Amino acid sequence: MSTQHPDNVNSPFFSSSNEIGGEDEIAEAYYVFSHLGCDEQMWDCEGKEVDNYVVKKLLTRYGEFFNQKKLGEDLRLTLRVPNPTVEKAEAKILLETLESIPRSFDVAKLFYGEDIAPVFEIILPMTGSARCIDRIYRYYSDFVIGKQNKSFKDDDITIAEWIGEFKPTKINAIPLFEDREGMLNAHEITRKYLSDKDIHQQRIFLARSDPAMNYGLIGAVLMNKLALYNFNLLSEDTGVDIYPIIGVGSAPFRGNLKPQNIENLTTEYPSVHTFTIQSSFKYDHPTSEVIKGIEKLKSIKTSRPHEVDPEKFLEIIDKYGQEFQKQILELAPPINSIAKHTPNRRKRKLHIGLFGYSRNIDGISLPRAISFTCALYSLGLPPEVLALNALDGDDFAFLDEYYLNFRNDLKDALQYLNLDSPFLPEPIKERLKSMDYVTNEEHKEITDQIIDLFRKDNVDAVPELILRAANLRKFVG
């Protein structure tokens, strides 16, 4: 699933500026389908000016391609909508988006000459309860579709007779779980949602970046593994086929999905059916490597999730997470200062919501995950190393058994560590002595310069240095 996450250093050839948006995203959807080989494009309807005519534009501009690969059958366009429970300012965008689905159906019917729903799924972020996702499902079927049978007056025609039928009659609602409570209860939330519906297949979406922002690298991985294990049990118990999606970026902190790391990631999460291909994956590597990486990802068969130890998982999540948040609070001033200079790669507005969106702990605000990650890397302090001092030898042995790529992910991040960084917590240095890694000296020199400019309160040259460092890493954050 290609997404619109702005973690890329380089802009794609079809973009009219450094910030992808508007018509460029139409071209992007065609490009990832036709050239990169992605099966699905997530279309973000929150935090930006929404284009509800994406289906019409794709079919009219790239008709020859979409005649061969049918949108809605061979390829998917999946809408990510605002959550009205959390994002009050954008709540009504949800209604506009749902109303656009039957119109897109009509466009596709004219194009293909048959009933094909080009859009039939939506993703609801920050799902915290079954009711949240149920409202989406019912609003569409009862109000968007249901109104077609209503008459204007007792002696008048129905809305459907007036302007035509509304299809598809139902949509699939995909819950996206992002915080600790939501992820640990995701299976029960989904069970309740499914309980009164005749649904035999259900996609669910697990976040990877925001849990890392809130609970650290290790906390995010363990929560995902717990959730995936619980979803497998739910599937066995209910008979409903569960198809997990996981939202991974290129930084190890955000998932470590890059063309060279496909096998490690699919081994870590064997039951995941869909991985997100974010912007740095698509645009910061040679196109041939990107295509090969996507082909390899598509060729790997899913299997059962790994066994878990729930009690030990939660013990580590809690003690590690507490230390992680403590260290983040101490680092908040430099993070916020440097994050302001993170390059913008998408035309986006700020989301409003839980700590994972407009982040606020103990009255201290923090940037979103990509800027947060970029800021720490730019200061020579990869966020992957934070809070390691909270773990003892037994914990590390446990992680080696249950977090299969723990050492690999740390090694990938540690090459960008600057041991001279004044922001590196002293207790972490002790833990790092036993780690095997080679420092990227060019990256270290750049972070030395950024730190020096920050100390002198002279940040004019910081944006260029941040980009240079990001280019070495092949991701912004």
Side-chain angles (χ1 to χ4, degrees):
M1 176 198 282
S2 165
T3 76
Q4 298 170 338
H5 289 79
D7 61 345
N8 54 305
V9 184
N10 299 292
S11 298
F13 66 92
F14 53 78
S15 178
S16 56
S17 71
N18 287 332
E19 294 184 28
I20 305 172
E23 298 305 303
D24 293 332
E25 290 185 330
I26 303 290
E28 177 181 40
Y30 165 69
Y31 173 68
V32 300
F33 287 144
S34 62
H35 289 72
L36 300 187
C38 290
D39 304 298
E40 182 171 16
Q41 173 68 52
M42 183 171 80
W43 193 259
D44 204 341
C45 300
E46 52 172 353
K48 66 173 184 177
E49 298 299 325
V50 183
D51 190 339
N52 285 327
Y53 292 89
V54 55
V55 170
K56 183 177 182 180
K57 290 179 179 180
L58 285 173
L59 296 184
T60 54
R61 293 180 192 176
Y62 310 106
E64 186 176 350
F65 172 77
F66 286 107
N67 262 316
Q68 301 298 317
K69 295 282 189 177
K70 292 184 179 179
L71 196 59
E73 288 187 355
D74 303 311
L75 305 168
R76 297 190 184 205
L77 184 71
T78 306
L79 310 179
R80 174 177 166 139
V81 298
N83 186 334
T85 305
V86 181
E87 299 169 283
K88 298 294 184 184
E90 296 196 333
K92 291 184 178 62
I93 292 175
L94 166 67
L95 307 189
E96 295 172 23
T97 304
L98 294 179
E99 291 285 355
S100 75
I101 294 175
R103 188 179 68 245
S104 294
F105 180 93
D106 292 345
V107 170
K109 185 172 183 177
L110 283 171
F111 182 81
Y112 290 116
E114 57 182 308
D115 283 4
I116 294 178
V119 176
F120 56 89
E121 292 182 310
I122 63 93
I123 296 164
L124 183 71
M126 296 176 282
T127 299
S129 69
R131 189 160 287 179
C132 275
I133 194 73
D134 190 61
R135 286 171 183 155
I136 305 287
Y137 179 87
R138 294 192 186 280
Y139 183 89
Y140 182 82
S141 60
D142 295 352
F143 294 95
V144 176
I145 299 300
K147 65 174 174 281
Q148 68 179 319
N149 299 316
K150 295 186 181 298
S151 301
F152 294 96
K153 293 172 66 176
D154 290 343
D155 60 348
D156 205 348
I157 60 174
T158 64
I159 292 174
E161 291 171 319
W162 185 43
I163 59 173
E165 284 186 294
F166 285 57
K167 291 183 178 181
T169 56
K170 291 183 179 179
I171 57 170
N172 301 331
I174 303 170
L176 169 52
F177 301 101
E178 302 185 60
D179 64 357
R180 184 185 192 278
E181 185 178 359
M183 293 184 76
L184 296 183
N185 293 301
H187 59 299
E188 292 302 336
I189 291 171
T190 305
R191 181 194 298 274
K192 188 173 181 181
Y193 169 71
L194 293 170
S195 64
D196 59 356
K197 299 174 183 68
D198 185 24
I199 292 177
H200 304 288
Q201 297 179 330
Q202 177 66 40
R203 298 178 86 191
I204 59 92
F205 201 149
L206 297 172
R208 182 56 183 74
S209 293
D210 281 333
M213 262 291 305
N214 294 337
Y215 317 106
L217 166 69
I218 293 167
V221 171
L222 296 187
M223 276 189 277
N224 270 275
K225 285 177 170 281
L226 262 174
L228 290 167
Y229 181 78
N230 287 330
F231 273 117
N232 188 66
L233 295 179
L234 173 66
S235 180
E236 291 177 347
D237 188 36
T238 61
V240 176
D241 293 328
I242 304 289
Y243 296 97
I245 307 165
I246 190 167
V248 279
S250 289
F253 186 67
R254 299 181 53 246
N256 210 7
L257 178 57
K258 49 199 175 195
Q260 306 80 13
N261 200 45
I262 302 294
E263 198 164 329
N264 282 344
L265 201 69
T266 52
T267 302
E268 194 74 70
Y269 305 108
S271 64
V272 168
H273 281 256
T274 304
F275 292 85
T276 58
I277 303 297
Q278 299 185 6
S279 301
S280 60
F281 187 113
K282 292 179 284 192
Y283 308 130
D284 292 333
H285 302 272
T287 306
S288 59
E289 290 185 22
V290 175
I291 292 170
K292 286 178 184 176
I294 291 172
E295 286 175 349
K296 186 170 186 179
L297 194 57
K298 289 161 66 175
S299 71
I300 295 172
K301 303 299 182 185
T302 55
S303 58
R304 292 175 60 85
H306 298 303
E307 293 294 318
V308 301
D309 181 339
E311 189 175 332
K312 183 65 175 177
F313 271 37
L314 290 174
E315 178 192 324
I316 291 178
I317 288 168
D318 288 341
K319 72 174 181 178
Y320 168 84
Q322 287 170 11
E323 180 63 18
F324 179 83
Q325 291 197 355
K326 176 186 169 186
Q327 292 180 5
I328 290 302
L329 286 173
E330 293 170 355
L331 291 165
I335 289 172
N336 284 327
S337 179
I338 297 299
K340 288 186 291 188
H341 303 285
T342 302
N344 293 323
R345 288 296 182 257
R346 297 270 173 175
K347 293 177 181 176
R348 290 287 184 272
K349 300 172 185 175
L350 280 177
H351 294 271
I352 300 169
L354 86 159
F355 173 43
Y357 278 67
S358 68
R359 310 170 194 287
N360 189 299
I361 352 174
D362 295 346
I364 296 176
S365 295
L366 289 166
R368 294 202 62 192
I370 292 169
S371 296
F372 170 90
T373 306
C374 179
L376 284 168
Y377 267 99
S378 301
L379 293 168
L381 180 54
E384 293 85 351
V385 306
L386 295 178
L388 289 179
N389 56 296
L391 306 176
D392 58 29
D394 290 341
D395 295 329
F396 280 101
F398 181 84
L399 289 172
D400 284 334
E401 181 179 355
Y402 287 94
Y403 176 1
L404 306 182
N405 290 293
F406 175 51
R407 303 283 176 174
N408 288 334
D409 287 349
L410 272 184
K411 190 174 182 179
D412 282 352
L414 282 169
Q415 61 185 306
Y416 304 114
L417 174 70
N418 185 339
L419 274 174
D420 298 326
S421 175
F423 306 106
L424 180 63
E426 197 62 37
I428 294 176
K429 288 185 180 180
E430 293 301 312
R431 287 289 175 211
L432 297 178
K433 288 178 180 177
S434 62
M435 303 291 177
D436 176 31
Y437 66 96
V438 177
T439 300
N440 184 309
E441 293 296 340
E442 188 177 354
H443 193 278
K444 181 185 181 301
E445 287 177 18
I446 296 172
T447 59
D448 281 336
Q449 294 177 60
I450 293 172
I451 292 165
D452 184 56
L453 289 169
F454 174 78
R455 284 172 149 176
K456 293 176 180 176
D457 198 23
N458 178 18
V459 293
D460 290 346
V462 163
E464 182 185 347
L465 292 169
I466 288 174
L467 267 177
R468 283 176 55 197
N471 199 49
L472 292 172
R473 299 190 301 269
K474 299 189 183 299
F475 59 80
V476 167

